[in-house]
Amino acid sequence: MAVLFRPFFPIDEPHWVPALRTALEDLDFRVWPDHGDPARITALVGWEVFPEDRTMWPNLKAILSLRAGVERFLASPHYPPGVPLVRMIDPGLTEGMSTYVAGFVLRFHRQIDLLEKQAATGIWEFDIPRAAQGRCVGFLGFGHLGQACARTLLPFGFAVRGWSLSKKAMPGVEEFIGSESLDSFLEDTDILVCLLPLTAQTENILNIRTLGRLPQGSYLINVARGKHLVEEDLIALLDSGHLAGAALDVFRREPLPVGHPFYTHPKIVVTPHVSAITLPHTGAAAVRRALDDLAQGRRPEGLVDVARGY
Ligand code: NDP
Ligand code: OXD
């Protein structure tokens, strides 16, 4: 049995190879292209699947994604059918997402964007601030990351709600289940955070109709996938004043092309897909846990339901 890692990003050789080597030190760990006998490879670790992966490993038992979102794996023609896929659940990534989302929620809640603009033109003005209890933060997608962000925000006093397909029963959170409850979920959400997986059901879910149901002056934080958002609908709602601002970390095309209107829109903050990055040491430990679970016949955390798409 051997585990094969295929470096993909420039950071992989200096950071991921040593982290994985340490976490898997007692296993037969190989780094592409030095895969050795293909029949020995039982697990692949990486960011993508490649043409060889469909046929080259006759004894492949699992693919371990270093990404949390796995739509690229599932959509790839190179994905070997029937091989279990485990997505990344990394405490380092989770902390990154929680701090990013909390940072933008607080920025919008305290209207720091507005205060910065005023200060830049020498304006000294203020209003009575809104209490956190009176501001509702809604998570579209209330899974691993949505719940972690909610736990970070609840102590500030925000009204927190989550939308998903199944009940979580998190104390202090109002939960909305399934498509019939989407409109009522949106109606009182002042800051909408998208943390859905990209599936056929969720593509283009942030559109003129859904975003239009948010209260006047609300905000969007999209940290899930670019294809959740209909870009021109967001711009129309910001320009009409219905939405007050947006923080966008993910885009239909990445890198976001030079000259894209999002870069210069006064109500949009663009970040380069950095809200939550899998960290090599904690991520390699997660790979190790998943491999141990698989070896002992346990269900690894993050096992993907291929039919469901996440
Ligand atoms: P999870 O699978 O744990 O959570 C997904 C949530 O979405 C679940 O609550 C699920 O419901 C809900 N959901 C899925 N489909 C629907 C639907 N049709 N209607 C209603 N709810 C639905 O994923 P994570 O929280 O770990 O990650 C979410 C996404 O965040 C990833 O898929 C990825 O795209 C993105 N991401 C972005 C990163 C970045 O750097 N910008 C980093 C990491 C992740 P239920 O719980 O009932 O199944
Ligand atoms: C992920 C991501 O899915 O970085 O992990 O977007």
Side-chain angles (χ1 to χ4, degrees):
M1 168 193 161
V3 180
L4 177 67
F5 171 56
R6 183 147 172 169
F8 183 67
F9 295 113
I11 57 158
D12 289 350
E13 292 283 1
H15 296 287
W16 273 99
V17 170
L20 285 165
R21 221 182 264 298
T22 304
L24 312 183
E25 63 183 351
D26 53 332
L27 303 182
D28 183 354
F29 174 63
R30 301 173 185 188
V31 179
W32 177 273
D34 299 324
H35 50 73
D37 177 4
R40 294 269 312 150
I41 303 298
T42 51
L44 299 176
V45 178
W47 305 97
E48 306 271 333
V49 275
F50 298 89
E52 301 78 17
D53 294 336
R54 201 171 164 98
T55 52
M56 191 162 167
W57 325 111
N59 295 312
L60 191 62
K61 300 277 183 299
I63 299 180
L64 285 84
S65 164
L66 296 181
R67 303 178 196 268
V70 287
E71 74 286 349
R72 286 169 72 114
F73 285 81
L74 297 177
S76 170
H78 312 314
Y79 187 82
V83 175
L85 175 64
V86 181
R87 70 192 192 86
M88 178 50 65
I89 299 197
D90 163 31
L93 180 151
T94 304
E95 183 198 298
M97 187 60 87
S98 303
T99 51
Y100 179 101
V101 168
F104 275 102
V105 166
L106 294 174
R107 179 181 171 83
F108 292 147
H109 171 60
R110 294 305 316 268
Q111 298 200 286
I112 305 293
D113 45 346
L114 184 71
L115 298 175
E116 278 174 354
K117 281 191 194 108
Q118 284 186 188
T121 49
I123 296 173
W124 181 280
E125 269 179 18
F126 61 91
D127 222 334
I128 293 179
R130 196 158 152 186
Q133 286 79 1
R135 182 90 67 182
C136 177
V137 182
F139 290 93
L140 200 57
F142 201 52
H144 182 77
L145 295 175
Q147 291 175 57
C149 293
R151 280 192 289 274
T152 305
L153 289 168
L154 280 167
F156 288 103
F158 292 108
V160 174
R161 52 177 53 184
W163 183 69
S164 63
L165 291 175
S166 58
K167 192 133 181 81
K168 313 292 177 244
M170 184 185 284
V173 174
E174 190 180 4
E175 293 191 38
F176 294 76
I177 307 299
S179 51
E180 320 73 56
S181 70
L182 180 58
D183 285 357
S184 35
F185 164 83
L186 294 167
E187 262 151 29
D188 293 315
T189 293
D190 300 302
I191 302 177
L192 178 69
V193 182
C194 182
L195 269 169
L196 284 164
L198 183 65
T199 65
Q201 288 71 41
T202 65
E203 188 166 350
N204 298 324
I205 194 166
L206 302 171
N207 57 49
I208 200 103
R209 196 198 73 77
T210 53
L211 296 176
R213 293 205 80 96
L214 296 170
Q216 175 82 23
S218 49
Y219 293 88
L220 170 69
I221 300 174
N222 187 18
V223 277
R225 287 293 183 257
K227 285 186 178 170
H228 286 127
L229 175 66
V230 180
E231 296 186 343
E232 53 276 23
D233 289 2
L234 174 67
I235 290 183
L237 288 162
L238 289 168
D239 290 348
S240 73
H242 184 76
L243 295 184
L248 306 177
D249 186 51
V250 287
F251 305 92
R252 284 180 178 264
R253 272 186 64 200
E254 295 183 5
L256 186 65
V258 175
H260 192 287
F262 283 171
Y263 278 122
T264 48
H265 197 288
K267 293 181 178 173
I268 293 178
V269 180
V270 166
T271 57
H273 202 140
V274 290
S275 56
I277 292 175
T278 313
L279 301 185
H281 284 94
T282 48
V287 167
R288 176 65 203 236
R289 280 193 296 280
L291 288 169
D292 288 347
D293 286 342
L294 288 162
Q296 290 170 32
R298 293 189 297 260
R299 186 181 201 282
E301 190 183 25
L303 183 68
V304 172
D305 180 336
V306 173
R308 201 174 58 164
Y310 70 99

